[in-house]
Amino acid sequence: MTKHQIPTAETPISYQLRGTVAVLTIDNPPVNVGSQAVRLGLVHGIERATSDGVAGAIIIGAGKTFIAGSDLKEFGRPLDWPQLPDVIAAIEEAPFPVVAALHGVALGGGLELALGCDYRIAAPGTKVGLPEVSLGFVPGAGGTQRLPRLVGVSRGIELICNASRIAADHALDIGLIDAVVSGDLLDAALDFVGQHPEKRPVRSIATPSETHDVIEAAASKAQKLGKNRPNISEAIRLIRRATEPEMADALADERRVFQDMRVGPDATALRYLFFAERRAATVEGLDGRCAKTIAQVGVVGGGTMGQGIVRACLKAGLPVTLLERDETALRMSLEKVGAHLDAQVAKGRLDPKDRAEQSERLSGAVDPGVLAQCDLVIEAVFEDMQVKREVISQLEPVLSPDALIATNTSYLDIDAMSEGMACPGRLIGLHFFSPADVMPLLEVVRAEQTSDTALATGLKLARTMGKQPVVSRVAEGFIGNRMYAAYRRRAELLVLDGASPQQVDAAAVDFGFAMGPFAVADMSGLDIAWAMRKRQAATRAPQARYVTIPDRLCEAGRLGRKTGAGWYDYSSGSAQPDETVDALIDAARAEAGVTPQSYDCDTIQRQLLAAIVNEAACLLEESVAQRASDCDVTFANGYGFPRWRGGPLYWAALQSADGISADLAALADAVGFGHVRGPVDKVLNGIKDLRGS
Ligand code: NAI
C-alpha cells in the first residue's frame, strides 16, 4: 500500500477525544500484534489529533495487552508502508506529547512504539522487552538507540541481547518507563498527560555515561551467551552507537541491519520454528473446548522426575499433592522440593513471598485416597510396567470418574499399561524432560484409547505450565528419544569405525548442539540406554551393526558422571579423555574386524544429522509423529539442537537433494540395514512447503 491509499478494511485503531486529549486504542485481537493495519491506523490517528489541535495523545491497547510484538507473518517479505519507524516519526513530529499506556505485554515493536512516545506508563504486572534477537534479527525501529538512552549501554546490551522480558516495577527502577499506575489505566494516563504537557522525545535524552570496562564486560558476556551469532554482534555494535549525540545515522544503520537480517538464514529458520511450535500444540479434528479445567494435581512418586513435576506445577500456580510409598520417602521428597525452592530464593530467582505461597499449595500423602479431589494425577514411579499398573489400579477407584491419569513413562507401552483399567480413555502420557521445571518440552502421548478430553486437557496443561507440547502416538521412546537414540547409535558407530568420542562431541558442538552425544550420555547416565538395549535385544534387526563399547563401559561400572567415569574421566572435576576408554574402543574395533578410518568434522556432522532425519521419516511413516515440523520442534526444545538452524528436518531441506541422498546411503552402509527406511524425500518436501510461512 502506498502513502496515499486509504485502507479499505476496518481499522484496528479507534479514535476518541477525551476533552483535549486524543485516545488511540489498538484493538487487534487476540494480542494486538503490530500489523500494517495497526501502523496505518496509528499514523492516521496522530494526523487527526494534529488537525484536532489536541493538547496530548494516549496510545493504549484494548483487551488483555498493549502490543505483543510485530506481526511475524509480514516479516518474510517486503514491509508495506507505513513501517514502524514511520509511525514513530509521526509521533515525534506531532506538536503534542504522546503517552504510551501499557498493560499486559509490550514486546518487540510494541516496546519500540512505546519508546517512540514521549512518556510511558504501565499497569502493575506489565512485562516489557525486546525479544528480536531470539528471532534471529535485531530491533529495527529504534530499540537499539532509544532503550540505551534511557537505561545505559551496558544494561541495554544485557536486555536486548538476552531478549529479556522485565516487569513494570523493574522497568521503572531502571528508567525505562516513567510510572507504574494503579486503578483504571486510561484515567491514569489522562491524569499523566495533564501533568506532563511538554514534549520529551527519547531522542533528546543523552545516554547515561558508563566506563569502558563496564560496557566491555556486558558485551563479552552477551557474545558468549548468544553463541556469537551475527545478530548478537550487530546488536552490540548498534547499542554502542547510542552514545552518539545525534540518532539519525545510527537509526538508519539499525534499520538496514534489521531489513537484511529479518530475511536472513537465522531469522527465516527461527520464524519457521516459531510457527512450527504453535502448530505442534494442535491436533487436527480435536476441539480444544473439551479440555477439563485442572484445579488440583496429584503426583505419584517423588524421585527425580516427580520432584521436578511438582516444582513445575507449583511454578505454574497449581496446587499439588505428592504421593510417596511411605512416610520416610515422602519426607525426603518434600524436603528436597523445599531445599530447591530455598536455593531459588538464595539465587534471587524466586521471591520469598512466592516461595511461601508455593509451599502453601504443596501437600504430601502416602494414602492414595487423599488424591480423590484431584482432576489429574501424574505418575512418576519406577520405570516398571508392573509397578505402574499397580499404581493405576490403586488410583482408579479413588479418583472421581472424570479425573485423568497421566504417566511419565519414557519407554513403556501405554496401550499395554491401560489394559485392565475400568476407564482406559482417561490415561494419557505426559512425558516431561529432566529437570521438569526447566525443560520446555512436553510430549503429550495419545494412546489408542486416550479420550479427546484427556488429549485436549494434556495440551491445555502444557500451556498452563508454559511448556511446548508435541503430540506423539505410543512407540518405544516416543518421538524425541527415538530420534535421539538413532543419533546416539550413529555417534557410537562413528567411534567404532574410527572417530574418537572427543572428535564426535566436538563436531556436534561445532554444529551448534549444546553438548556432544558422549558428554550428554555421561551426564544423564549410561545405564538408561543400556537397559533399553537389553530390552530391545530380542527384536533387534539381525543385519543391524551393534556397538558393544557402551555395554563394556557399563559392565566396567562406568555409568557416567554419577560414577566419576563414563566415556570420559571426571576425577579431575572436568571431562578428560581416558586411556581405558581408548583401549575398550580398540578392542571393540578388533572384535568387529573394523579397520579404523579417519573422519572430518563435516562428515561427522552430516552423518549425525542423517540418522536423525531418517528416524524422523520413519516416525512419520508410522504416524507416531503428526507432522514433520513436530520432529523439529521436539529436537529444538528437548535435545539442545541449535534453534537458529530451525530443526534437523529444516536443516536437511536446505541441503542439496544429492547431498542428502549420499548421506543417507552412507548411513545405510554404516548402520547395516543396506537401505534407509523412511520416506525422506516426501518429508523434506513437506518442510520446504513450510519454509517462509
Ligand atoms: P526415581 O527412581 O528417581 O523415582 C521414582 C520414585 O517413585 C521414588 O521416589 C519411589 O519411592 C517412588 N515410588 C515407587 N513406587 C511407588 C508407589 N507405588 N507409590 C508412590 N511412589 C512410588 O525415578 P525417576 O527418574 O524420577 O523416573 C520416574 C519416571 O519418570 C520413570 O517412568 C522414568 O522412565 C520417567 N522419566 C525419567 C526421566 C529422567 O531423566 N530420570 C525423564 C523422563 C521420564
PDB file of all heavy atoms in Angstrom, residues 300-306 323-325 329 333 379-383 387-388 391 394 408-411 431-434 528, ligand 1:
ATOM      1  N   VAL A 300       2.386 -38.917  41.725  1.00  0.00           N
ATOM      2  CA  VAL A 300       2.746 -40.141  42.450  1.00  0.00           C
ATOM      3  C   VAL A 300       4.199 -40.471  42.145  1.00  0.00           C
ATOM      4  O   VAL A 300       4.568 -40.625  40.973  1.00  0.00           O
ATOM      5  CB  VAL A 300       1.847 -41.332  42.041  1.00  0.00           C
ATOM      6  CG1 VAL A 300       2.157 -42.540  42.929  1.00  0.00           C
ATOM      7  CG2 VAL A 300       0.387 -40.961  42.145  1.00  0.00           C
ATOM      8  N   GLY A 301       5.021 -40.572  43.204  1.00  0.00           N
ATOM      9  CA  GLY A 301       6.448 -40.835  43.027  1.00  0.00           C
ATOM     10  C   GLY A 301       7.222 -39.534  43.129  1.00  0.00           C
ATOM     11  O   GLY A 301       7.071 -38.656  42.290  1.00  0.00           O
ATOM     12  N   GLY A 302       8.003 -39.427  44.193  1.00  0.00           N
ATOM     13  CA  GLY A 302       8.727 -38.163  44.424  1.00  0.00           C
ATOM     14  C   GLY A 302      10.214 -38.299  44.182  1.00  0.00           C
ATOM     15  O   GLY A 302      11.026 -37.747  44.925  1.00  0.00           O
ATOM     16  N   GLY A 303      10.592 -39.048  43.131  1.00  0.00           N
ATOM     17  CA  GLY A 303      12.008 -39.156  42.767  1.00  0.00           C
ATOM     18  C   GLY A 303      12.435 -37.962  41.921  1.00  0.00           C
ATOM     19  O   GLY A 303      11.825 -36.890  41.995  1.00  0.00           O
ATOM     20  N   THR A 304      13.460 -38.185  41.099  1.00  0.00           N
ATOM     21  CA  THR A 304      13.994 -37.103  40.261  1.00  0.00           C
ATOM     22  C   THR A 304      12.880 -36.408  39.485  1.00  0.00           C
ATOM     23  O   THR A 304      12.732 -35.184  39.528  1.00  0.00           O
ATOM     24  CB  THR A 304      14.989 -37.694  39.235  1.00  0.00           C
ATOM     25  OG1 THR A 304      15.886 -38.532  39.930  1.00  0.00           O
ATOM     26  CG2 THR A 304      15.719 -36.624  38.478  1.00  0.00           C
ATOM     27  N   MET A 305      12.092 -37.215  38.759  1.00  0.00           N
ATOM     28  CA  MET A 305      11.077 -36.621  37.893  1.00  0.00           C
ATOM     29  C   MET A 305       9.895 -36.094  38.691  1.00  0.00           C
ATOM     30  O   MET A 305       9.386 -35.009  38.416  1.00  0.00           O
ATOM     31  CB  MET A 305      10.584 -37.645  36.867  1.00  0.00           C
ATOM     32  CG  MET A 305      11.575 -37.945  35.788  1.00  0.00           C
ATOM     33  SD  MET A 305      12.279 -36.480  35.036  1.00  0.00           S
ATOM     34  CE  MET A 305      10.938 -35.887  34.041  1.00  0.00           C
ATOM     35  N   GLY A 306       9.437 -36.897  39.673  1.00  0.00           N
ATOM     36  CA  GLY A 306       8.281 -36.470  40.467  1.00  0.00           C
ATOM     37  C   GLY A 306       8.536 -35.106  41.108  1.00  0.00           C
ATOM     38  O   GLY A 306       7.682 -34.210  41.061  1.00  0.00           O
ATOM     39  N   LEU A 323       2.329 -37.976  46.340  1.00  0.00           N
ATOM     40  CA  LEU A 323       2.111 -39.265  47.000  1.00  0.00           C
ATOM     41  C   LEU A 323       3.380 -40.106  46.896  1.00  0.00           C
ATOM     42  O   LEU A 323       3.914 -40.276  45.798  1.00  0.00           O
ATOM     43  CB  LEU A 323       0.959 -39.995  46.304  1.00  0.00           C
ATOM     44  CG  LEU A 323       0.468 -41.258  46.993  1.00  0.00           C
ATOM     45  CD1 LEU A 323      -0.509 -40.905  48.108  1.00  0.00           C
ATOM     46  CD2 LEU A 323      -0.220 -42.188  45.990  1.00  0.00           C
ATOM     47  N   GLU A 324       3.854 -40.607  48.051  1.00  0.00           N
ATOM     48  CA  GLU A 324       5.032 -41.493  48.027  1.00  0.00           C
ATOM     49  C   GLU A 324       4.687 -42.820  48.676  1.00  0.00           C
ATOM     50  O   GLU A 324       3.609 -43.004  49.220  1.00  0.00           O
ATOM     51  CB  GLU A 324       6.224 -40.819  48.710  1.00  0.00           C
ATOM     52  CG  GLU A 324       7.315 -40.329  47.746  1.00  0.00           C
ATOM     53  CD  GLU A 324       8.048 -41.448  46.987  1.00  0.00           C
ATOM     54  OE1 GLU A 324       7.882 -42.642  47.323  1.00  0.00           O
ATOM     55  OE2 GLU A 324       8.800 -41.117  46.049  1.00  0.00           O
ATOM     56  N   ARG A 325       5.665 -43.760  48.615  1.00  0.00           N
ATOM     57  CA  ARG A 325       5.422 -45.123  49.104  1.00  0.00           C
ATOM     58  C   ARG A 325       5.248 -45.173  50.619  1.00  0.00           C
ATOM     59  O   ARG A 325       4.482 -45.918  51.153  1.00  0.00           O
ATOM     60  CB  ARG A 325       6.594 -46.017  48.737  1.00  0.00           C
ATOM     61  CG  ARG A 325       6.665 -46.319  47.283  1.00  0.00           C
ATOM     62  CD  ARG A 325       7.762 -47.302  47.021  1.00  0.00           C
ATOM     63  NE  ARG A 325       9.083 -46.694  47.188  1.00  0.00           N
ATOM     64  CZ  ARG A 325      10.218 -47.333  47.014  1.00  0.00           C
ATOM     65  NH1 ARG A 325      10.208 -48.609  46.718  1.00  0.00           N
ATOM     66  NH2 ARG A 325      11.373 -46.707  47.138  1.00  0.00           N
ATOM     67  N   ALA A 329      10.084 -41.851  52.620  1.00  0.00           N
ATOM     68  CA  ALA A 329      10.321 -41.398  51.243  1.00  0.00           C
ATOM     69  C   ALA A 329       9.604 -40.068  51.008  1.00  0.00           C
ATOM     70  O   ALA A 329      10.142 -39.164  50.354  1.00  0.00           O
ATOM     71  CB  ALA A 329       9.828 -42.448  50.258  1.00  0.00           C
ATOM     72  N   SER A 333      11.346 -36.519  49.895  1.00  0.00           N
ATOM     73  CA  SER A 333      10.988 -35.836  48.636  1.00  0.00           C
ATOM     74  C   SER A 333      10.540 -34.402  48.908  1.00  0.00           C
ATOM     75  O   SER A 333      10.953 -33.468  48.217  1.00  0.00           O
ATOM     76  CB  SER A 333       9.852 -36.573  47.930  1.00  0.00           C
ATOM     77  OG  SER A 333      10.258 -37.846  47.588  1.00  0.00           O
ATOM     78  N   GLU A 379       1.657 -39.965  37.283  1.00  0.00           N
ATOM     79  CA  GLU A 379       2.515 -40.930  37.977  1.00  0.00           C
ATOM     80  C   GLU A 379       3.939 -40.812  37.439  1.00  0.00           C
ATOM     81  O   GLU A 379       4.158 -40.688  36.226  1.00  0.00           O
ATOM     82  CB  GLU A 379       1.954 -42.357  37.875  1.00  0.00           C
ATOM     83  CG  GLU A 379       2.126 -43.071  36.561  1.00  0.00           C
ATOM     84  CD  GLU A 379       3.534 -43.537  36.259  1.00  0.00           C
ATOM     85  OE1 GLU A 379       4.329 -43.643  37.200  1.00  0.00           O
ATOM     86  OE2 GLU A 379       3.855 -43.754  35.077  1.00  0.00           O
ATOM     87  N   ALA A 380       4.911 -40.825  38.367  1.00  0.00           N
ATOM     88  CA  ALA A 380       6.333 -40.799  38.003  1.00  0.00           C
ATOM     89  C   ALA A 380       7.066 -41.786  38.904  1.00  0.00           C
ATOM     90  O   ALA A 380       8.073 -41.467  39.523  1.00  0.00           O
ATOM     91  CB  ALA A 380       6.893 -39.386  38.156  1.00  0.00           C
ATOM     92  N   VAL A 381       6.480 -43.008  39.006  1.00  0.00           N
ATOM     93  CA  VAL A 381       7.118 -44.045  39.822  1.00  0.00           C
ATOM     94  C   VAL A 381       8.152 -44.762  38.958  1.00  0.00           C
ATOM     95  O   VAL A 381       8.385 -44.386  37.810  1.00  0.00           O
ATOM     96  CB  VAL A 381       6.079 -45.030  40.410  1.00  0.00           C
ATOM     97  CG1 VAL A 381       5.107 -44.279  41.318  1.00  0.00           C
ATOM     98  CG2 VAL A 381       5.314 -45.772  39.315  1.00  0.00           C
ATOM     99  N   PHE A 382       8.768 -45.835  39.512  1.00  0.00           N
ATOM    100  CA  PHE A 382       9.827 -46.528  38.784  1.00  0.00           C
ATOM    101  C   PHE A 382       9.379 -46.929  37.386  1.00  0.00           C
ATOM    102  O   PHE A 382       8.210 -47.233  37.165  1.00  0.00           O
ATOM    103  CB  PHE A 382      10.261 -47.791  39.537  1.00  0.00           C
ATOM    104  CG  PHE A 382      10.733 -47.532  40.941  1.00  0.00           C
ATOM    105  CD1 PHE A 382      10.240 -48.274  42.005  1.00  0.00           C
ATOM    106  CD2 PHE A 382      11.680 -46.555  41.199  1.00  0.00           C
ATOM    107  CE1 PHE A 382      10.677 -48.046  43.303  1.00  0.00           C
ATOM    108  CE2 PHE A 382      12.124 -46.322  42.492  1.00  0.00           C
ATOM    109  CZ  PHE A 382      11.617 -47.057  43.547  1.00  0.00           C
ATOM    110  N   GLU A 383      10.345 -46.992  36.472  1.00  0.00           N
ATOM    111  CA  GLU A 383      10.040 -47.370  35.085  1.00  0.00           C
ATOM    112  C   GLU A 383       9.847 -48.887  35.016  1.00  0.00           C
ATOM    113  O   GLU A 383      10.716 -49.639  34.560  1.00  0.00           O
ATOM    114  CB  GLU A 383      11.194 -46.897  34.182  1.00  0.00           C
ATOM    115  CG  GLU A 383      10.996 -47.139  32.695  1.00  0.00           C
ATOM    116  CD  GLU A 383      10.012 -46.194  32.027  1.00  0.00           C
ATOM    117  OE1 GLU A 383       9.199 -45.568  32.731  1.00  0.00           O
ATOM    118  OE2 GLU A 383      10.052 -46.087  30.800  1.00  0.00           O
ATOM    119  N   VAL A 387       4.844 -52.082  38.398  1.00  0.00           N
ATOM    120  CA  VAL A 387       4.685 -51.037  39.427  1.00  0.00           C
ATOM    121  C   VAL A 387       3.675 -49.991  38.949  1.00  0.00           C
ATOM    122  O   VAL A 387       2.783 -49.560  39.692  1.00  0.00           O
ATOM    123  CB  VAL A 387       6.054 -50.373  39.738  1.00  0.00           C
ATOM    124  CG1 VAL A 387       5.896 -49.253  40.755  1.00  0.00           C
ATOM    125  CG2 VAL A 387       7.052 -51.404  40.235  1.00  0.00           C
ATOM    126  N   LYS A 388       3.788 -49.612  37.684  1.00  0.00           N
ATOM    127  CA  LYS A 388       2.896 -48.562  37.168  1.00  0.00           C
ATOM    128  C   LYS A 388       1.456 -49.077  37.134  1.00  0.00           C
ATOM    129  O   LYS A 388       0.524 -48.357  37.492  1.00  0.00           O
ATOM    130  CB  LYS A 388       3.348 -48.122  35.776  1.00  0.00           C
ATOM    131  CG  LYS A 388       4.760 -47.508  35.795  1.00  0.00           C
ATOM    132  CD  LYS A 388       4.923 -46.393  34.810  1.00  0.00           C
ATOM    133  CE  LYS A 388       6.344 -45.896  34.672  1.00  0.00           C
ATOM    134  NZ  LYS A 388       6.646 -44.640  35.326  1.00  0.00           N
ATOM    135  N   VAL A 391      -0.016 -48.953  40.586  1.00  0.00           N
ATOM    136  CA  VAL A 391      -0.348 -47.576  40.983  1.00  0.00           C
ATOM    137  C   VAL A 391      -1.672 -47.160  40.340  1.00  0.00           C
ATOM    138  O   VAL A 391      -2.572 -46.624  41.007  1.00  0.00           O
ATOM    139  CB  VAL A 391       0.794 -46.599  40.594  1.00  0.00           C
ATOM    140  CG1 VAL A 391       0.334 -45.158  40.677  1.00  0.00           C
ATOM    141  CG2 VAL A 391       2.004 -46.824  41.486  1.00  0.00           C
ATOM    142  N   GLN A 394      -4.636 -48.715  41.915  1.00  0.00           N
ATOM    143  CA  GLN A 394      -4.988 -48.100  43.212  1.00  0.00           C
ATOM    144  C   GLN A 394      -5.680 -46.749  43.010  1.00  0.00           C
ATOM    145  O   GLN A 394      -6.548 -46.359  43.781  1.00  0.00           O
ATOM    146  CB  GLN A 394      -3.726 -47.839  44.037  1.00  0.00           C
ATOM    147  CG  GLN A 394      -3.125 -49.078  44.668  1.00  0.00           C
ATOM    148  CD  GLN A 394      -1.739 -48.773  45.244  1.00  0.00           C
ATOM    149  OE1 GLN A 394      -1.238 -47.659  45.172  1.00  0.00           O
ATOM    150  NE2 GLN A 394      -1.129 -49.794  45.820  1.00  0.00           N
ATOM    151  N   ASN A 408       4.304 -40.689  33.207  1.00  0.00           N
ATOM    152  CA  ASN A 408       5.502 -40.001  32.734  1.00  0.00           C
ATOM    153  C   ASN A 408       6.509 -41.006  32.165  1.00  0.00           C
ATOM    154  O   ASN A 408       7.685 -40.708  32.032  1.00  0.00           O
ATOM    155  CB  ASN A 408       6.114 -39.219  33.905  1.00  0.00           C
ATOM    156  CG  ASN A 408       7.338 -38.421  33.505  1.00  0.00           C
ATOM    157  OD1 ASN A 408       7.327 -37.736  32.498  1.00  0.00           O
ATOM    158  ND2 ASN A 408       8.412 -38.528  34.270  1.00  0.00           N
ATOM    159  N   THR A 409       6.026 -42.184  31.832  1.00  0.00           N
ATOM    160  CA  THR A 409       6.967 -43.206  31.344  1.00  0.00           C
ATOM    161  C   THR A 409       7.793 -42.698  30.162  1.00  0.00           C
ATOM    162  O   THR A 409       7.303 -41.921  29.339  1.00  0.00           O
ATOM    163  CB  THR A 409       6.226 -44.492  30.923  1.00  0.00           C
ATOM    164  OG1 THR A 409       7.210 -45.436  30.520  1.00  0.00           O
ATOM    165  CG2 THR A 409       5.243 -44.270  29.790  1.00  0.00           C
ATOM    166  N   SER A 410       9.041 -43.171  30.104  1.00  0.00           N
ATOM    167  CA  SER A 410       9.903 -42.780  28.982  1.00  0.00           C
ATOM    168  C   SER A 410       9.771 -43.762  27.828  1.00  0.00           C
ATOM    169  O   SER A 410       9.881 -43.379  26.674  1.00  0.00           O
ATOM    170  CB  SER A 410      11.372 -42.786  29.392  1.00  0.00           C
ATOM    171  OG  SER A 410      11.575 -42.083  30.571  1.00  0.00           O
ATOM    172  N   TYR A 411       9.598 -45.045  28.157  1.00  0.00           N
ATOM    173  CA  TYR A 411       9.672 -46.061  27.110  1.00  0.00           C
ATOM    174  C   TYR A 411       8.539 -47.080  27.126  1.00  0.00           C
ATOM    175  O   TYR A 411       8.346 -47.791  26.152  1.00  0.00           O
ATOM    176  CB  TYR A 411      11.000 -46.830  27.229  1.00  0.00           C
ATOM    177  CG  TYR A 411      12.197 -45.992  26.892  1.00  0.00           C
ATOM    178  CD1 TYR A 411      13.004 -45.456  27.889  1.00  0.00           C
ATOM    179  CD2 TYR A 411      12.523 -45.727  25.562  1.00  0.00           C
ATOM    180  CE1 TYR A 411      14.100 -44.673  27.574  1.00  0.00           C
ATOM    181  CE2 TYR A 411      13.621 -44.950  25.239  1.00  0.00           C
ATOM    182  CZ  TYR A 411      14.414 -44.430  26.246  1.00  0.00           C
ATOM    183  OH  TYR A 411      15.490 -43.657  25.921  1.00  0.00           O
ATOM    184  N   HIS A 431       5.044 -36.904  28.965  1.00  0.00           N
ATOM    185  CA  HIS A 431       6.470 -37.203  29.094  1.00  0.00           C
ATOM    186  C   HIS A 431       7.247 -35.902  29.275  1.00  0.00           C
ATOM    187  O   HIS A 431       7.519 -35.187  28.313  1.00  0.00           O
ATOM    188  CB  HIS A 431       6.951 -37.975  27.850  1.00  0.00           C
ATOM    189  CG  HIS A 431       8.372 -38.403  27.942  1.00  0.00           C
ATOM    190  ND1 HIS A 431       9.240 -38.401  26.878  1.00  0.00           N
ATOM    191  CD2 HIS A 431       9.098 -38.839  29.002  1.00  0.00           C
ATOM    192  CE1 HIS A 431      10.429 -38.818  27.268  1.00  0.00           C
ATOM    193  NE2 HIS A 431      10.373 -39.085  28.551  1.00  0.00           N
ATOM    194  N   PHE A 432       7.551 -35.634  30.545  1.00  0.00           N
ATOM    195  CA  PHE A 432       8.339 -34.435  30.883  1.00  0.00           C
ATOM    196  C   PHE A 432       9.815 -34.767  30.686  1.00  0.00           C
ATOM    197  O   PHE A 432      10.215 -35.924  30.702  1.00  0.00           O
ATOM    198  CB  PHE A 432       8.122 -34.059  32.351  1.00  0.00           C
ATOM    199  CG  PHE A 432       6.756 -33.496  32.656  1.00  0.00           C
ATOM    200  CD1 PHE A 432       5.683 -34.333  32.935  1.00  0.00           C
ATOM    201  CD2 PHE A 432       6.548 -32.132  32.670  1.00  0.00           C
ATOM    202  CE1 PHE A 432       4.430 -33.816  33.227  1.00  0.00           C
ATOM    203  CE2 PHE A 432       5.299 -31.602  32.965  1.00  0.00           C
ATOM    204  CZ  PHE A 432       4.236 -32.446  33.248  1.00  0.00           C
ATOM    205  N   PHE A 433      10.621 -33.742  30.559  1.00  0.00           N
ATOM    206  CA  PHE A 433      12.067 -33.914  30.425  1.00  0.00           C
ATOM    207  C   PHE A 433      12.736 -33.361  31.669  1.00  0.00           C
ATOM    208  O   PHE A 433      12.203 -32.467  32.320  1.00  0.00           O
ATOM    209  CB  PHE A 433      12.560 -33.222  29.142  1.00  0.00           C
ATOM    210  CG  PHE A 433      12.126 -33.988  27.925  1.00  0.00           C
ATOM    211  CD1 PHE A 433      10.795 -34.013  27.542  1.00  0.00           C
ATOM    212  CD2 PHE A 433      13.029 -34.748  27.194  1.00  0.00           C
ATOM    213  CE1 PHE A 433      10.360 -34.769  26.458  1.00  0.00           C
ATOM    214  CE2 PHE A 433      12.613 -35.502  26.103  1.00  0.00           C
ATOM    215  CZ  PHE A 433      11.280 -35.513  25.735  1.00  0.00           C
ATOM    216  N   SER A 434      13.882 -33.901  31.978  1.00  0.00           N
ATOM    217  CA  SER A 434      14.538 -33.558  33.240  1.00  0.00           C
ATOM    218  C   SER A 434      15.510 -32.387  33.075  1.00  0.00           C
ATOM    219  O   SER A 434      16.290 -32.395  32.118  1.00  0.00           O
ATOM    220  CB  SER A 434      15.308 -34.790  33.734  1.00  0.00           C
ATOM    221  OG  SER A 434      15.837 -34.547  34.985  1.00  0.00           O
ATOM    222  N   ILE A 528      20.637 -45.953  31.413  1.00  0.00           N
ATOM    223  CA  ILE A 528      19.283 -45.875  30.836  1.00  0.00           C
ATOM    224  C   ILE A 528      19.281 -46.515  29.438  1.00  0.00           C
ATOM    225  O   ILE A 528      18.457 -47.375  29.128  1.00  0.00           O
ATOM    226  CB  ILE A 528      18.803 -44.405  30.759  1.00  0.00           C
ATOM    227  CG1 ILE A 528      18.803 -43.784  32.166  1.00  0.00           C
ATOM    228  CG2 ILE A 528      17.407 -44.315  30.163  1.00  0.00           C
ATOM    229  CD1 ILE A 528      18.518 -42.294  32.197  1.00  0.00           C
TER     230      ILE A 528
HETATM  231  P1  NAI B   1      13.220 -42.332  40.576  1.00  0.00           P
HETATM  232  O1  NAI B   1      13.684 -43.707  40.867  1.00  0.00           O
HETATM  233  O2  NAI B   1      14.121 -41.174  40.874  1.00  0.00           O
HETATM  234  O3  NAI B   1      11.850 -42.043  41.349  1.00  0.00           O
HETATM  235  C1  NAI B   1      10.789 -42.941  41.448  1.00  0.00           C
HETATM  236  C2  NAI B   1      10.046 -42.604  42.741  1.00  0.00           C
HETATM  237  O4  NAI B   1       8.810 -43.294  42.751  1.00  0.00           O
HETATM  238  C3  NAI B   1      10.779 -42.981  44.008  1.00  0.00           C
HETATM  239  O5  NAI B   1      10.879 -41.867  44.843  1.00  0.00           O
HETATM  240  C4  NAI B   1       9.907 -44.066  44.632  1.00  0.00           C
HETATM  241  O6  NAI B   1       9.918 -44.025  46.036  1.00  0.00           O
HETATM  242  C5  NAI B   1       8.550 -43.697  44.080  1.00  0.00           C
HETATM  243  N1  NAI B   1       7.618 -44.815  44.011  1.00  0.00           N
HETATM  244  C6  NAI B   1       7.838 -46.050  43.539  1.00  0.00           C
HETATM  245  N2  NAI B   1       6.719 -46.784  43.655  1.00  0.00           N
HETATM  246  C7  NAI B   1       5.786 -46.009  44.196  1.00  0.00           C
HETATM  247  C8  NAI B   1       4.431 -46.196  44.569  1.00  0.00           C
HETATM  248  N3  NAI B   1       3.830 -47.347  44.384  1.00  0.00           N
HETATM  249  N4  NAI B   1       3.774 -45.151  45.098  1.00  0.00           N
HETATM  250  C9  NAI B   1       4.374 -43.974  45.289  1.00  0.00           C
HETATM  251  N5  NAI B   1       5.653 -43.736  44.955  1.00  0.00           N
HETATM  252  C10 NAI B   1       6.347 -44.748  44.421  1.00  0.00           C
HETATM  253  O7  NAI B   1      12.798 -42.334  39.050  1.00  0.00           O
HETATM  254  P2  NAI B   1      12.700 -41.103  38.033  1.00  0.00           P
HETATM  255  O8  NAI B   1      13.980 -40.932  37.353  1.00  0.00           O
HETATM  256  O9  NAI B   1      12.076 -39.946  38.719  1.00  0.00           O
HETATM  257  O10 NAI B   1      11.691 -41.688  36.945  1.00  0.00           O
HETATM  258  C11 NAI B   1      10.304 -41.791  37.192  1.00  0.00           C
HETATM  259  C12 NAI B   1       9.595 -41.998  35.875  1.00  0.00           C
HETATM  260  O11 NAI B   1       9.866 -40.909  35.011  1.00  0.00           O
HETATM  261  C13 NAI B   1      10.019 -43.245  35.118  1.00  0.00           C
HETATM  262  O12 NAI B   1       8.902 -43.779  34.472  1.00  0.00           O
HETATM  263  C14 NAI B   1      11.022 -42.713  34.124  1.00  0.00           C
HETATM  264  O13 NAI B   1      11.156 -43.523  32.978  1.00  0.00           O
HETATM  265  C15 NAI B   1      10.393 -41.384  33.775  1.00  0.00           C
HETATM  266  N6  NAI B   1      11.304 -40.378  33.241  1.00  0.00           N
HETATM  267  C16 NAI B   1      12.554 -40.199  33.750  1.00  0.00           C
HETATM  268  C17 NAI B   1      13.401 -39.227  33.236  1.00  0.00           C
HETATM  269  C18 NAI B   1      14.734 -38.970  33.857  1.00  0.00           C
HETATM  270  O14 NAI B   1      15.511 -38.209  33.272  1.00  0.00           O
HETATM  271  N7  NAI B   1      15.043 -39.536  35.008  1.00  0.00           N
HETATM  272  C19 NAI B   1      12.980 -38.384  32.098  1.00  0.00           C
HETATM  273  C20 NAI B   1      11.616 -38.603  31.694  1.00  0.00           C
HETATM  274  C21 NAI B   1      10.839 -39.581  32.235  1.00  0.00           C
END
